[in-house]
Amino acid sequence: MPDHIAVLDFGSQYTQVIARRIREANVLSRIYPYNTQASVLKEAGVKGIILSGGPSSVLIEGSPRPDAKVFDMGLPMLGICYGEQLMAHMLGGRVGKSEEREFGHGTLNIAIKGKLFEGLPATLRVWNSHGDRIEELPAGFEAVASTENSPYATIQDAQRNFYGMQFHPEVAHSEMGTEVIANFLFKICGCESDWSMANYIEESVQKIKNTVGDQRVILGLSGGVDSSVAAALIHKAIGKQLTCVFVDNGLLRLHEREQVEKLYGDHFNLDVRVADKGKFFLDRLAGVSDPETKRKIIGNAFVEVFDESVTELKEHGNYAFLAQGTLYPDVIESIAIDGNPAALIKSHHNVGGLPEKMNLKLLEPLRELFKDEVRELGSQLGLPKEVVWRQPFPGPGLGVRVMGDIKEQDLVVLRKADAILQEEMMAADLYYKVWQSFCVFLPVKTVGVMGDERTYENVIALRIVESLDAMTADWARVPYDVLRKVSSRIINEVSGCNRVVLDISSKPPSTIEWE
Ligand code: XMP
């Protein structure tokens, strides 16, 4: 393996964030189990070691420890939080329970800049989250920065290139944390900035090939960003050994199925099997108006249909893997500054019981990546902007955008109206600037007049929102001219709708979708 930084994982929820920060500096990193033997790291070509944070305490018997020999490898080391305490504890210092738990923002006063803080200001606002603290330094160490509660908020043994910090430089709330990590990588470990997403592709392709061998892989393709990028990456690795299943649930947008067939089938030459199940879904949904029941029916029907496709495929080939575009949970950057980021880390995509029942192994090549990295990866794999920067679309599709019970003729109206909205958002160069823009079909009839005739037709609501992470959202201030054009086009071109209204609610208290 080429030169890289080893991150020893002591169970911190931020371990993946450390790895991401290193990737951002264009340096290769690897996450290793905390107790990886020094000899293994040496063999692997490690240039520096980071000890992650973790939920445990060094004061507890049996809490996770690294192989003691890692301290004798002559490599630069950076201990973060629990990692710093480990360093102090294992090298002969003393760690104790802090009287005050330090949690949230603190001010770091830097007394000695050294290589770690080179080029940075003398004070930094940093993020802390710890109960223990260092009471006595090990031989050879000195304190280089302090906070109100920790005289040893940052320590170093410049001779051995050992550094420890109580705060978390990897989280977005730590001011200049990225620069601190970059100093460790470049000034202390002597890394080159020579890693890129192209290397990631190469490596992943190799890994997928090794894992899959001559077996075959099934992937549920939705056309969304994550499943599309996963499909493109796996296809690059194993070509026709990958089969994608696209479920047409009858709740898709205008021409969506044809677009998927054309792009992935014709252009990318993927083996895409379409499960044509619109009628099956709509029959199940007939007469059902409760939103939660609708979602459950759609979810269960999806599992059934997918399961059926898998069973059929397995009869004709040695399918052994189910691929999914699972991402590392997004760390929400836009959180209340003094809130606890732990509480705001989204949970993993729940893959439910699917693979167990199907007797397939999971293949998740995007697991380590964050959403924006996945978009970059997709671009590099040649996926068009329309896929890589596509707005989110809910799994239950238009099923939650026709209010109440779903009728085929209402879906037709909604599809046409929605296509007009997307066209105009694109034309006004707004589609990629908002989080989502879509139409909702309201089963409400109102009176209108067209020519000399009185009409009595349904209402379409426009929902256009700005958001960073879908947790909160605000209605987008779309110029009146654009709204006027959308409204007049929908009313003129879509029969079955004679009124368009605009949703001006924020989330909370409203949600983005109407159901
Ligand atoms: P709400 O309506 O809860 O939506 O504000 C937040 C975001 O999630 C999307 N959404 C879904 N996505 N399956 C999905 O895959 C669903 O059932 C679902 N419901 C909502 C919604 O479009 C918005 O981006």
Side-chain angles (χ1 to χ4, degrees):
M1 191 178 300
D3 284 354
H4 66 281
I5 296 293
V7 181
L8 297 189
D9 182 12
F10 291 91
S12 164
Q13 65 217 2
Y14 300 131
T15 301
Q16 294 286 352
V17 187
I18 300 173
R20 184 208 160 118
R21 296 285 171 247
I22 302 172
R23 288 199 292 274
E24 280 173 347
N26 295 318
V27 170
L28 180 63
S29 73
R30 276 278 162 285
I31 295 173
Y32 289 89
Y34 67 86
N35 53 1
T36 304
Q37 297 294 303
S39 54
V40 172
L41 298 175
K42 192 161 184 190
E43 184 87 356
V46 168
K47 283 204 86 164
I49 297 172
I50 295 182
L51 308 176
S52 84
S56 197
S57 162
V58 299
L59 302 172
I60 296 172
E61 270 281 315
S63 59
R65 302 285 144 99
D67 175 5
K69 294 201 186 82
V70 296
F71 295 106
D72 301 327
M73 292 173 74
L75 290 175
M77 293 184 81
L78 172 64
I80 296 174
C81 198
Y82 179 74
E84 183 201 36
Q85 290 150 14
L86 273 174
M87 205 175 235
H89 184 76
M90 292 179 72
L91 295 175
R94 194 163 58 80
V95 173
K97 272 252 156 294
S98 173
E99 271 171 31
E100 306 255 341
R101 258 178 68 80
E102 212 179 1
F103 183 76
H105 267 131
T107 302
L108 185 76
N109 292 301
I110 302 168
I112 302 171
K113 287 206 175 162
K115 289 184 191 164
L116 195 61
F117 294 120
E118 201 179 301
L120 304 185
T123 58
L124 292 173
R125 262 168 79 71
V126 294
W127 181 271
N128 292 288
S129 170
H130 60 98
D132 295 349
R133 67 174 202 172
I134 296 173
E135 306 284 356
E136 229 178 87
L137 289 177
F141 276 81
E142 62 185 337
V144 295
S146 57
T147 58
E148 210 174 304
N149 285 316
S150 300
Y152 304 122
T154 309
I155 60 173
Q156 71 176 20
D157 175 343
Q159 206 77 46
R160 286 188 283 180
N161 269 327
F162 287 172
Y163 298 83
M165 47 190 60
Q166 194 64 88
F167 65 97
H168 287 273
E170 70 277 22
V171 305
H173 322 284
S174 282
E175 197 184 351
M176 311 210 88
T178 307
E179 285 78 358
V180 174
I181 292 174
N183 278 350
F184 177 71
L185 299 176
F186 301 120
K187 302 209 161 98
I188 296 167
C189 299
C191 293
E192 302 278 340
S193 196
D194 56 4
W195 180 89
S196 71
M197 207 38 107
N199 301 103
Y200 186 88
I201 295 176
E202 248 172 66
E203 243 180 76
S204 302
V205 161
Q206 204 47 54
K207 215 155 107 189
I208 295 166
K209 276 186 181 161
N210 294 343
T211 309
V212 175
D214 60 0
Q215 296 175 304
R216 306 185 72 172
V217 179
I218 299 171
L219 179 139
L221 182 68
S222 71
V225 182
D226 307 344
S227 68
S228 300
V229 175
L233 182 62
I234 297 168
H235 182 253
K236 191 175 168 69
I238 58 167
K240 289 287 182 202
Q241 282 165 263
L242 170 70
T243 302
C244 298
V245 175
F246 177 81
V247 177
D248 181 347
N249 58 7
L251 303 165
L252 302 173
R253 288 161 291 185
L254 197 66
H255 305 315
E256 190 163 2
R257 169 174 165 177
E258 294 78 7
Q259 281 160 2
V260 164
E261 284 175 318
K262 203 162 136 203
L263 177 70
Y264 300 94
D266 301 351
H267 182 68
F268 280 97
N269 209 12
L270 259 74
D271 178 7
V272 181
R273 315 281 173 94
V274 175
D276 186 3
K277 293 290 178 179
K279 187 168 169 350
F280 175 75
F281 278 78
L282 294 183
D283 283 351
R284 289 246 176 129
L285 286 163
V288 180
S289 55
D290 174 62
E292 273 315 299
T293 316
K294 282 162 69 178
R295 276 173 186 274
K296 278 205 188 92
I297 292 174
I298 298 169
N300 292 341
F302 180 86
V303 172
E304 252 178 70
V305 167
F306 197 73
D307 196 23
E308 210 174 86
S309 304
V310 169
T311 308
E312 211 179 296
L313 284 171
K314 282 175 84 176
E315 279 165 17
H316 299 105
N318 62 337
Y319 287 92
F321 293 90
L322 177 70
Q324 289 185 327
T326 317
L327 310 191
Y328 183 73
D330 295 346
V331 176
I332 298 153
E333 312 267 4
S334 61
I335 62 170
I337 294 300
D338 285 313
N340 173 9
L344 288 143
I345 293 180
K346 285 191 204 161
S347 58
H348 277 265
H349 272 298
N350 190 346
V351 295
L354 274 179
E356 266 157 64
K357 205 167 135 227
M358 292 172 181
N359 200 17
L360 292 168
K361 285 170 273 184
L362 268 185
L363 184 67
E364 297 180 309
L366 311 179
R367 252 196 111 82
E368 292 171 11
L369 300 184
F370 290 75
K371 191 82 176 187
D372 54 336
E373 294 180 302
V374 168
R375 292 196 212 274
E376 195 195 327
L377 178 60
S379 301
Q380 294 216 11
L381 288 166
L383 288 172
K385 186 178 179 189
E386 298 84 75
V387 171
V388 170
W389 288 99
R390 214 169 120 107
Q391 292 178 2
F393 184 61
L398 300 185
V400 290
R401 293 183 181 171
V402 168
M403 299 301 94
D405 62 337
I406 302 167
K407 298 189 196 75
E408 180 59 44
Q409 70 265 28
D410 298 344
L411 284 168
V412 172
V413 171
L414 177 59
R415 280 195 191 102
K416 286 185 185 158
D418 194 66
I420 290 171
L421 174 62
Q422 305 319 338
E423 244 177 78
E424 294 303 327
M425 290 296 286
M426 285 281 188
D429 201 17
L430 290 172
Y431 177 88
Y432 295 112
K433 293 188 178 142
V434 300
W435 175 264
Q436 271 171 300
S437 48
F438 58 87
C439 291
V440 178
F441 180 92
L442 307 190
V444 174
K445 292 209 170 183
T446 71
V447 173
V449 46
M450 272 194 195
D452 293 333
E453 277 186 47
R454 177 182 175 279
T455 59
Y456 189 52
E457 292 177 339
N458 287 98
V459 182
I460 286 286
L462 308 179
R463 183 63 164 148
I464 312 172
V465 295
E466 284 171 352
S467 174
L468 286 175
D469 50 34
M471 306 295 284
T472 61
D474 196 9
W475 56 282
R477 278 28 169 201
V478 174
Y480 282 171
D481 281 350
V482 178
L483 293 173
R484 185 185 50 77
K485 191 150 182 220
V486 170
S487 153
S488 81
R489 276 196 63 196
I490 291 177
I491 293 168
N492 285 315
E493 295 174 32
V494 183
S495 66
C497 161
N498 65 358
R499 193 175 297 271
V500 171
V501 297
L502 178 67
D503 181 348
I504 50 167
S505 331
S506 64
K507 174 183 179 175
S510 302
T511 52
I512 296 176
E513 303 287 347
W514 278 38
E515 277 193 342

